Amino acid sequence: MNLKKHLTIASVIFISVLLIYGGIVANQVFSKNTKFSEKELFVHVPTGSTYEDLKKIITPFVENMDRFEMVADKRSYPENVKPGRFLFTRGMSSYDLVKSLRSNVPVKLAFNNQERLEDFAGRISSQIEPDSLLLLNTFKDSIFLKENGFNDENVFVMFIPNTYEVYWNISAEKFRDKMIKEYHSFWNKERIAKAEKQGLTPVEATILASIVHKESVKKDERPRIAGVYLNRMKLEMPLQADPTVIYAIKKKDNDFQQVIKRVFYNDLFLNSPFNTYKVIGLPPGPIAMPDITALDAVLNPEKNDFIYFCASVDRFGYHEFAATLEEHNLNAKKYSDWINGQGVKR
């Protein structure tokens, strides 16, 4: 009897110790282990990071690193550190943190309204891991350009403004390859046929769309403007697009931050392949990233007899169109008188 009694007592003590130890372990594993006030934040782990690198990155957000390391060791995380973008939420346990560090969260990458490839690379590098210089060099890789029929001046047409889902740690090459895949997806047989109907290749259609995009923010007016430019091209007239002159000035000055609201007569003589007052046909590359409505306007232009247009004084943001130079000169003088009255110097 005494032996059974002793065994029973020993068993109770052993179980109690196990329960206490289990409670301690459970507390270390599942209790709150964050120290940031935000509801959630993203932690970025660069490519090639070691476990020691990872610990330095997350230390500002973890309340007790010993508890985190204990769980990480038990779950074999130190040997399996992955790069990427990981979501931490306030109140996460060590178990939750390790689990989160194994789940790379994609970035919803958005871009539009960029003027140059350099601006675009900077915009993208702020959203994914590769820096802007690496992205630029990748976009301008000579083999890539040759394989896809681009050059340094026109490769910017490859990027179709939209929202894309990519991993933060995507390589520059894989990002570029995704973009060229999207480009070919956009330029399907139907759109290529529409461009050919206007006498344009996809690259030329995008360059023209960039001018249409800059000419008017009014989406309902863009097909009419596209029609005017296509009329000029058929007549082998210079496009005489003020936005190309503005682009040429910025390019000459190497200053794309300057604001130019007015083009003066002397500006029209600037020697630049982007100055469509001096060069017949399209410039060598786009002057901006056209949005989808500008591209659609070029592919589906309004059929009209207009050759000229200038900004409207009566309908802000819109333009006045004319089929004859005499009519256009009247519209242009009206606008010139108005803008002079506004005191706009540049």
Side-chain angles (χ1 to χ4, degrees):
M1 291 291 293
N2 287 337
L3 180 59
K4 288 184 177 180
K5 184 177 181 180
H6 288 316
L7 287 173
T8 301
I9 293 172
S11 297
V12 170
I13 292 172
F14 179 71
I15 292 171
S16 298
V17 170
L18 285 179
L19 290 172
I20 292 170
Y21 177 75
I24 293 172
V25 172
N27 181 64
Q28 290 181 321
V29 174
F30 297 109
S31 63
K32 172 184 175 296
N33 195 19
T34 60
K35 61 175 182 181
F36 50 88
S37 59
E38 299 93 332
K39 184 178 180 181
E40 61 181 35
L41 57 82
F42 284 100
V43 171
H44 296 86
V45 180
T47 300
S49 293
T50 65
Y51 183 50
E52 293 303 315
D53 297 329
L54 179 280
K55 288 192 291 184
K56 291 177 183 177
I57 293 169
I58 68 171
T59 291
F61 314 117
V62 177
E63 186 176 285
N64 188 311
M65 282 301 296
D66 289 337
R67 281 159 48 194
F68 171 82
E69 289 188 64
M70 186 273 290
V71 175
D73 288 337
K74 293 293 184 183
R75 302 198 66 204
S76 302
Y77 176 75
E79 302 84 25
N80 296 284
V81 174
K82 303 294 183 185
R85 174 177 178 257
F86 305 98
L87 177 64
F88 283 8
T89 57
R90 187 175 62 233
M92 270 185 163
S93 66
S94 297
Y95 179 88
D96 294 330
L97 291 170
V98 174
K99 182 179 179 182
S100 177
L101 287 166
R102 284 188 161 129
S103 181
N104 196 358
V105 180
V107 175
K108 287 194 180 298
L109 189 73
F111 56 82
N112 59 15
N113 207 30
Q114 305 296 302
E115 275 195 311
R116 300 179 301 159
L117 190 62
E118 291 81 0
D119 300 326
F120 173 73
R123 171 73 179 272
I124 297 304
S125 69
S126 70
Q127 300 178 74
I128 60 176
E129 184 178 15
D131 64 34
S132 58
L133 182 59
L134 178 58
L135 288 167
L136 269 177
N137 290 336
T138 303
F139 299 154
K140 291 185 175 184
D141 176 72
S142 58
I143 296 175
F144 171 79
L145 294 176
K146 185 176 181 180
E147 286 178 347
N148 290 281
F150 298 134
N151 57 46
D152 280 0
E153 293 282 15
N154 66 28
V155 67
F156 195 32
V157 306
M158 176 175 71
F159 304 100
I160 307 297
N162 210 329
T163 300
Y164 301 95
E165 191 172 274
V166 300
Y167 286 112
W168 172 80
N169 56 307
I170 188 173
S171 69
E173 290 80 7
K174 286 185 177 179
F175 174 73
R176 180 198 64 194
D177 293 345
K178 180 176 179 62
M179 292 297 99
I180 191 64
K181 183 178 179 181
E182 295 289 345
Y183 172 81
H184 289 306
S185 176
F186 178 83
W187 284 105
N188 53 30
K189 290 182 179 179
E190 181 183 358
R191 287 195 175 99
I192 291 174
K194 286 184 175 182
E196 289 177 346
K197 187 177 179 181
Q198 308 306 326
L200 304 169
T201 66
V203 170
E204 292 169 336
T206 306
I207 293 172
L208 181 55
S210 74
I211 299 173
V212 173
H213 177 95
K214 280 293 188 179
E215 279 286 11
S216 180
V217 297
K218 302 299 184 181
K219 296 177 181 179
D220 59 331
E221 188 183 55
R222 286 175 172 174
R224 175 167 291 188
I225 291 175
V228 173
Y229 281 131
L230 288 166
N231 288 342
R232 291 180 184 178
M233 291 179 72
K234 289 172 184 175
L235 293 171
E236 296 186 350
M237 285 178 57
L239 292 182
Q240 297 182 332
D242 286 1
T244 67
V245 179
I246 293 171
Y247 184 90
I249 294 170
K250 290 181 176 182
K251 191 173 178 66
K252 176 182 70 72
D253 296 342
N254 194 29
D255 178 10
F256 279 81
Q257 300 304 312
Q258 62 180 305
V259 177
I260 301 176
K261 296 181 178 180
R262 188 173 185 181
V263 172
F264 291 105
Y265 180 71
N266 288 339
D267 296 329
L268 308 183
F269 299 95
L270 176 65
N271 283 319
S272 168
F274 286 90
N275 180 1
T276 57
Y277 276 84
K278 293 201 70 174
V279 178
I280 294 178
L282 294 165
I287 61 169
M289 177 183 287
D291 64 24
I292 302 299
T293 63
L295 286 163
D296 282 342
V298 171
L299 298 180
N300 304 280
E302 177 185 281
K303 301 299 181 183
N304 58 59
D305 296 323
F306 299 130
I307 303 296
Y308 308 99
F309 65 95
C310 71
S312 175
V313 174
D314 303 316
R315 300 178 303 142
F316 185 74
Y318 284 93
H319 294 79
E320 301 297 341
F321 295 82
T324 66
L325 182 59
E326 291 76 16
E327 185 182 2
H328 171 67
N329 285 338
L330 291 174
N331 293 334
K333 184 178 186 308
K334 187 176 182 180
Y335 175 74
S336 178
D337 291 344
W338 177 83
I339 200 169
N340 286 334
Q342 301 300 308
V344 177
K345 301 299 183 184
R346 188 44 134 177

